[in-house]
Amino acid sequence: MTNFEWYRSFVAIYRHGSISRAAQARFMTQPALSQHLAALEAEIGEPLFRRTPRQMVPTERGHMLYGQIVQAVDRLEKISGDFRHPSTPPTLRIGGPAEWIHEYLIARLPESPYTLSFTFGETKPLIQALKNNDIDLLIATQHVATSGLTFTRLMTETFKLVGNRPMPSDGYDRDDIRQRLERLDWISYAPELPIIRRFWFAAFGERCTLKPRFIVPDLRVIKSLVLQGHGISVLPEYLVADELKKGELYELWRSPEPVENDLWLVYRSSDRVDPTFTTFVDSWLRAAVVTP
């Protein structure tokens, strides 16, 4: 009969892509974990991974086995953990952009049966962390089709071009507006102008060639710099709604094409078998969704 620990080791190798990282995750030695894999491959009768210098690449049989057992392995591990620590609330590890979590999520958190642990970062590395079982739930700023993960649309964020003083636009055509904006100081989230570039193309139909005055990887700090008059930027509406309402910030110009981006709630598909998890996710979706 196949040992359950062999399956646990197989899933860890599949998720982490290497014997060493899987062994660390399982608090095992590499030789012991390698023995688990060898025993399972002997039981099945063919290799489950192709060994390369950089990683363990699942074979077709390995992909098939993972898809068949991962839900059961995750479920049994969770049950075992709950029985070991019956009086301790389980931990739910949430990843996503710090600005959205700080400005939007915290005020809308539903009642939780979990101890919540947050990890901040960008979507692509956090998707890998989700696949590796390092986090459990992710707010993603883009949809990256990934096997084994479920994406549910959470909300649509709208972006505004803002500054701390108004810029009259009456009597100016679009070329005039573009030239005036090119002369101003810009504050960007990253050197490649990820948000500004999208706004510029939607507004003027051409590639953005702006050179930012400040590069700041935190939208909250960018808002502070704009408020202090150090430049202008494109920021999500949820972050600047109060300042726009109070007249502390101004929408400088509105693009003919709205600049929007969908946010997604992402989790491992295997976690849908956990009723506590699904109840929390569903209540979070009801609390967070602001657009149909």
Side-chain angles (χ1 to χ4, degrees):
M1 181 176 178
T2 306
N3 190 316
F4 176 62
E5 294 301 314
W6 299 352
Y7 285 135
R8 293 183 66 195
S9 294
F10 164 76
V11 168
I13 297 168
Y14 189 99
R15 284 174 168 165
H16 292 278
S18 80
I19 293 288
S20 60
R21 289 195 297 270
Q24 290 175 1
R26 292 217 57 207
F27 302 100
M28 295 175 60
T29 65
Q30 292 185 40
L33 191 124
S34 295
Q35 289 175 4
H36 283 186
L37 177 59
L40 183 59
E41 289 180 326
E43 180 80 11
I44 290 174
E46 60 182 279
L48 298 172
F49 294 95
R50 178 167 52 84
R51 281 75 168 169
T52 72
R54 291 182 175 272
Q55 61 179 340
M56 301 283 284
V57 180
T59 63
E60 182 177 353
R61 186 72 168 191
H63 285 301
M64 291 175 59
L65 179 63
Y66 180 83
Q68 291 173 359
I69 70 169
V70 63
Q71 291 191 17
V73 170
D74 285 346
R75 181 66 173 153
L76 286 171
E77 285 193 332
K78 179 171 177 52
I79 290 172
S80 296
D82 291 346
F83 271 97
R84 285 196 301 269
H85 309 287
S87 61
T88 304
T91 298
L92 187 70
R93 302 161 298 174
I94 301 172
E99 302 92 342
W100 189 85
I101 290 172
H102 177 266
E103 297 289 334
Y104 193 87
L105 173 63
I106 297 303
R108 295 167 174 80
L109 269 179
E111 185 175 342
S112 170
Y114 298 102
T115 296
L116 299 181
S117 174
F118 291 96
T119 298
F120 302 134
E122 298 182 0
T123 289
K124 287 187 177 179
L126 286 176
I127 284 179
Q128 189 59 48
L130 185 61
K131 289 180 62 180
N132 291 345
N133 205 33
D134 295 326
I135 61 174
D136 306 302
L137 197 60
L138 168 63
I139 300 98
T141 57
Q142 54 186 306
H143 189 298
V144 183
T146 308
S147 62
L149 299 184
T150 296
F151 283 73
T152 302
R153 183 178 166 277
L154 185 61
M155 63 175 285
T156 298
E157 55 182 354
T158 303
F159 293 94
K160 303 284 188 181
L161 173 62
V162 296
N164 76 335
R165 62 186 66 183
M167 187 182 79
S169 59
D170 292 343
Y172 293 93
D173 62 24
R174 194 154 66 161
D175 285 340
D176 292 331
I177 296 291
R178 177 179 54 76
Q179 292 173 22
R180 293 170 69 195
L181 291 175
E182 287 175 336
R183 292 193 292 268
L184 298 178
D185 291 331
W186 286 77
I187 308 169
S188 176
Y189 185 86
E192 59 273 17
L193 312 174
I195 303 172
I196 296 170
R197 187 176 65 247
R198 288 188 56 193
F199 174 87
W200 199 265
F201 189 82
F204 305 112
E206 61 182 48
R207 183 173 176 271
C208 179
T209 59
L210 296 170
K211 302 296 182 184
R213 177 74 181 275
F214 293 89
I215 298 172
V216 185
D218 189 310
L219 298 180
R220 294 164 298 179
V221 178
I222 292 178
K223 181 176 77 170
S224 295
L225 288 168
V226 174
L227 282 166
Q228 294 171 26
H230 292 290
I232 66 173
S233 193
V234 180
L235 292 170
E237 186 174 17
Y238 71 78
L239 188 65
V240 297
D242 287 345
E243 289 77 10
L244 288 170
K245 185 176 181 180
K246 295 174 183 176
E248 297 171 353
L249 289 177
Y250 298 88
E251 185 175 9
L252 302 184
W253 190 65
R254 185 168 298 180
S255 166
E257 295 291 331
V259 181
E260 299 176 337
N261 184 61
D262 286 337
L263 295 178
W264 303 86
L265 196 62
V266 193
Y267 51 86
R268 289 180 294 276
S269 303
S270 60
D271 286 339
R272 288 297 298 183
V273 302
D274 182 344
T276 302
F277 178 83
T278 55
T279 299
F280 177 75
V281 167
D282 292 343
S283 63
W284 196 4
L285 286 168
R286 287 193 298 271
V289 170
V290 296
T291 56

